[in-house]
Amino acid sequence: AQSVTQLGSHVSVSEGALVLLRCNYSSSVPPYLFWHVQYPNQGLQLLLKYTSAATLVKGINGFEAEFKKSETSFHLTKPSAHMSDAVEYFCALAGTASKLTFGTGTRLQVTL
Amino acid sequence: GAGVSQTPSNKVTEKGKYVELRCDPISGHTALYWYRQSLGQGPEFLIYFQGTGAADDSGLPNDRFFAVRPEGSVSTLKIQRTERGDSAVYLCASSRDRPENTGELFFGEGSRLTVL
């Protein structure tokens, strides 16, 4: 079975501070991992994806994530938070099946 | 169209009624997925179509839920005898290829179902 765990349903950072959203996975096969962002009342948009080509993946809007097999993690980071980053983020895994398994989401709050 | 289109965007119905939700995927995308997202949760997989056939329907919660894709394009999710617990946002996504082949999923804006 495959699963995704996102630590922290809510994360709060100050504008300009580092953003760190945590994602751990469980998979019996080498996984493909994704981060999606969800704007209010909209569907999910792909932020970035890991497909085994490189462990450090760069996405849109300055976000990046690093695949660490030893830690079964795929944490999302951004050096400097902006107010427009205050939305919900979902980590997802494609493993043994032709479908994505999503985490429960992390809502990012950015304060002045 | 340019993106995945879902209709209706909002549906309010009474317990016990029948509901149909429609998804029009991106042209040329052979893979189509239905997910259900309850309040405060991540999307949960319901069913996956490759062309006209349901390749994986293991996420359908019970036999009240059924989905079709007769011509390999538009799909309809059908819910019989709706229950209050069916209230959620139903998301449709399409892809040119499977996720494990790094096929990106393109999501629609969802159909919000409220069962009173």
Side-chain angles (χ1 to χ4, degrees):
Chain A
Q2 54 192 43
S3 66
V4 174
T5 302
Q6 290 185 242
L7 298 175
S9 59
H10 291 78
V11 170
S12 182
V13 300
S14 300
E15 189 175 33
L18 171 72
V19 175
L20 171 61
L21 304 183
R22 300 179 186 273
C23 174
N24 289 87
Y25 70 90
S26 174
S27 177
S28 58
V29 300
Y32 293 138
L33 293 157
F34 304 77
W35 275 99
H36 289 80
V37 60
Q38 187 171 37
Y39 296 94
N41 299 317
Q42 293 188 28
L44 289 89
Q45 298 176 26
L46 182 67
L47 204 54
L48 50 79
K49 63 183 179 182
Y50 165 74
T51 59
S52 77
T55 56
L56 183 62
V57 181
K58 294 187 183 298
I60 60 174
N61 300 334
F63 283 94
E64 62 182 36
E66 186 172 9
F67 172 72
K68 292 187 177 180
K69 183 179 178 181
S70 61
E71 299 178 6
T72 60
S73 70
F74 189 57
H75 301 332
L76 182 70
T77 61
K78 181 175 180 178
S80 176
H82 190 272
M83 296 299 288
S84 61
D85 297 327
V87 289
E88 191 152 22
Y89 297 82
F90 292 91
C91 183
L93 161 71
T96 58
S98 295
K99 61 189 179 188
L100 292 183
T101 298
F102 285 87
T104 52
T106 298
R107 185 169 297 279
L108 178 65
Q109 182 181 19
V110 180
T111 59
L112 291 172
Chain B
V4 177
S5 176
Q6 291 188 246
T7 54
S9 56
N10 278 285
K11 176 71 176 179
V12 180
T13 191
E14 294 179 342
K15 179 176 177 235
K17 298 291 187 181
Y18 170 80
V19 167
E20 287 190 353
L21 306 176
R22 175 189 166 106
C23 173
D24 198 343
I26 293 173
S27 178
H29 283 192
T30 57
L32 185 145
Y33 301 79
W34 283 99
Y35 282 81
R36 179 168 70 174
Q37 187 174 20
S38 300
L39 192 63
Q41 299 295 315
E44 295 177 298
F45 171 78
L46 294 177
I47 187 169
Y48 156 56
F49 287 90
Q50 186 62 241
T52 60
D56 183 350
D57 64 358
S58 62
L60 294 178
N62 52 57
D63 61 5
R64 294 187 298 105
F65 288 75
F66 190 71
V68 296
R69 195 186 185 198
E71 298 178 357
S73 179
V74 171
S75 176
T76 304
L77 178 66
K78 307 181 181 191
I79 311 174
Q80 298 178 321
R81 304 183 304 280
T82 52
E83 300 177 357
R84 292 193 179 87
D86 299 335
S87 296
V89 177
Y90 290 82
L91 296 169
C92 177
S94 71
S95 173
R96 187 174 290 109
D97 202 345
R98 302 174 179 179
E100 70 269 31
N101 294 335
T102 72
E104 177 182 347
L105 266 62
F106 294 83
F107 284 85
E109 296 187 354
S111 291
R112 182 178 299 277
L113 175 65
T114 303
V115 182
L116 301 176

